[in-house]
């Protein structure tokens, strides 16, 4: 018991260093997580724009075909 009380300051310092390392690792992982989320969000947005453009082009094609069928009988 005396040994634990004698090294209490050292144990506290080691615990503080361990906690600082945990906080640093959590901050680094959080940064990379947010960076990945932002990248995937931008990619999804671009793919959505392309998809919507393709759909709109198909709709315009169909409308033009119907218009042509009505005009030409």
């Amino acid at each position: 018991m005396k040994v634990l009380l004698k090294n209490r300051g050292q144990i506290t310092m080691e615990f503080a260093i361990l906690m600082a390392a945990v906080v640093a690792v959590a901050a680094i992982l959080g940064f990379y997580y947010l960076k990945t989320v932002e990248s995937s969000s931008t990619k999804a947005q671009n793919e959505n724009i392309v998809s919507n453009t393709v759909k709109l082009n198909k709709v315009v094609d169909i409308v033009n075909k119907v218009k042509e069928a009505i005009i030409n009988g």
Side-chain angles (χ1 to χ4, degrees):
M1 191 66 162
K2 258 186 173 182
V3 173
L4 287 176
L5 294 176
K6 183 177 177 184
N7 294 331
R8 190 175 0 171
Q10 183 178 354
I11 291 173
T12 303
M13 183 180 65
E14 289 171 352
F15 182 73
I17 291 171
L18 176 67
M19 291 306 293
V22 168
V23 169
V25 168
I28 292 169
L29 288 177
F31 170 76
Y32 283 111
Y33 174 75
L34 290 177
K35 189 174 177 182
T36 304
V37 167
E38 178 188 10
S39 172
S40 63
S41 174
T42 303
K43 183 178 177 184
Q45 183 179 11
N46 290 340
E47 289 177 3
N48 189 21
I49 290 171
V50 169
S51 173
N52 284 343
T53 304
V54 169
K55 288 176 190 175
L56 288 174
N57 287 342
K58 292 270 186 191
V59 168
V60 168
D61 254 358
I62 292 171
V63 168
N64 285 337
K65 287 179 183 178
V66 169
K67 186 177 176 183
E68 185 180 322
I70 291 173
I71 292 173
N72 294 334

